[in-house]
Amino acid sequence: MTLSHTTTPGRIHLHEAIAYDVPGTKFIRVAYCWNGTTTIHSTDVLHGGGSLLIAGDAEAQLAPIIDTLDTALRRGAALLEIVTEPVAPSAHLTIQRYYIYGGRHRTDAASNAERFVHDPHQLAGAERSRRASQAAALRRVQHEVDEREAERERSEARCAREMKTRAFWLRRHRDHLGMARGARRVGEHKWHAYALNAAAFDRTQAAAIPA
């Protein structure tokens, strides 16, 4: 997916930030502060490399974040956080953070260096706080990743248990027959292929249906 919608500074910055790290699932979070109020938007999208975003509707998911970044470039301030779960197996989560304010955006490390360039002690303290905050964000996202994996495993276990039941196989047989009948009703010229598949399923799976 490319920048097909109206190009704005916030959109450009977000897409560049997403593409900066390796491909994978991008857990994106933006916190916007204005007049003592903080607003948070978050989502996750699958980044395939370059400008390719793979999702059901990545533009709709990213729209509130892009709007927030554009607003922060005009007034207030925002912290953009992107945690990447790489596609490569056993790879560790990585994190990027950017401060957006005063019409500019910079990494959290660059922002600290700019603010405390003349005070090494304050810079050291700011860097410790930055690393601690990043570590907390990585733990938060890792917990979410672990929960998703646990739910996937639970779902697979439920499917495996269901496949051992008579009701599952009878339902599958009815589905095959239903596809054949439905295709014939609408004039699908391959309806007979569905019927043959249903018959073959009936023959080959009958013995597999638990008593």
Side-chain angles (χ1 to χ4, degrees):
M1 186 188 71
T2 58
L3 301 181
S4 57
H5 290 54
T6 303
T7 299
T8 66
R11 179 183 298 277
I12 292 171
H13 174 61
L14 178 61
H15 280 261
E16 288 178 349
I18 289 173
Y20 176 80
D21 208 342
V22 297
T25 301
K26 306 287 180 170
F27 294 84
I28 306 168
R29 185 175 187 267
V30 62
Y32 172 65
C33 298
W34 173 247
N35 280 346
T37 301
T38 300
T39 304
I40 296 175
H41 296 288
S42 63
T43 189
D44 60 89
V45 294
L46 182 59
H47 175 234
S51 62
L52 180 63
L53 295 178
I54 307 167
D57 190 351
E59 283 293 345
Q61 289 177 249
L62 296 176
I65 294 174
I66 291 170
D67 290 344
T68 299
L69 296 179
D70 283 324
T71 300
L73 286 166
R74 296 192 301 270
R75 64 174 186 268
L79 173 62
L80 172 65
E81 172 188 288
I82 301 178
V83 176
T84 301
E85 181 190 12
V87 175
S90 72
H92 296 294
L93 299 179
T94 59
I95 186 170
Q96 308 152 249
R97 276 185 164 182
Y98 303 88
Y99 284 109
I100 297 94
Y101 59 90
R104 303 167 60 197
H105 55 83
R106 56 191 64 73
T107 65
D108 54 356
S111 178
N112 282 346
E114 182 180 287
R115 291 167 59 202
F116 304 114
V117 63
H118 299 302
D119 193 329
H121 293 294
Q122 281 197 331
L123 177 58
E127 281 297 288
R128 285 193 297 271
S129 296
R130 181 180 71 87
R131 288 191 291 269
S133 181
Q134 286 193 350
L138 288 171
R139 287 193 297 271
R140 185 189 72 245
V141 174
Q142 186 63 61
H143 177 72
E144 184 175 347
V145 170
D146 292 343
E147 282 295 306
R148 291 185 180 187
E149 178 63 18
E151 177 54 36
R152 184 189 65 78
E153 292 176 355
R154 288 192 293 267
S155 178
E156 290 179 353
R158 286 194 297 270
C159 289
R161 289 194 300 270
E162 185 180 356
M163 288 181 68
K164 296 178 181 177
T165 66
R166 180 176 179 81
F168 170 83
W169 291 107
L170 292 177
R171 187 165 60 250
R172 285 287 299 273
H173 186 214
R174 285 196 299 270
D175 289 345
H176 278 253
L177 289 176
M179 285 188 292
R181 291 165 183 159
R184 187 174 187 181
R185 279 198 301 271
V186 299
E188 167 59 56
H189 69 282
K190 290 185 178 180
W191 71 268
H192 57 280
Y194 290 106
L196 290 174
N197 286 342
F201 180 87
D202 191 20
R203 290 193 304 272
T204 59
Q205 298 298 334
I209 298 176

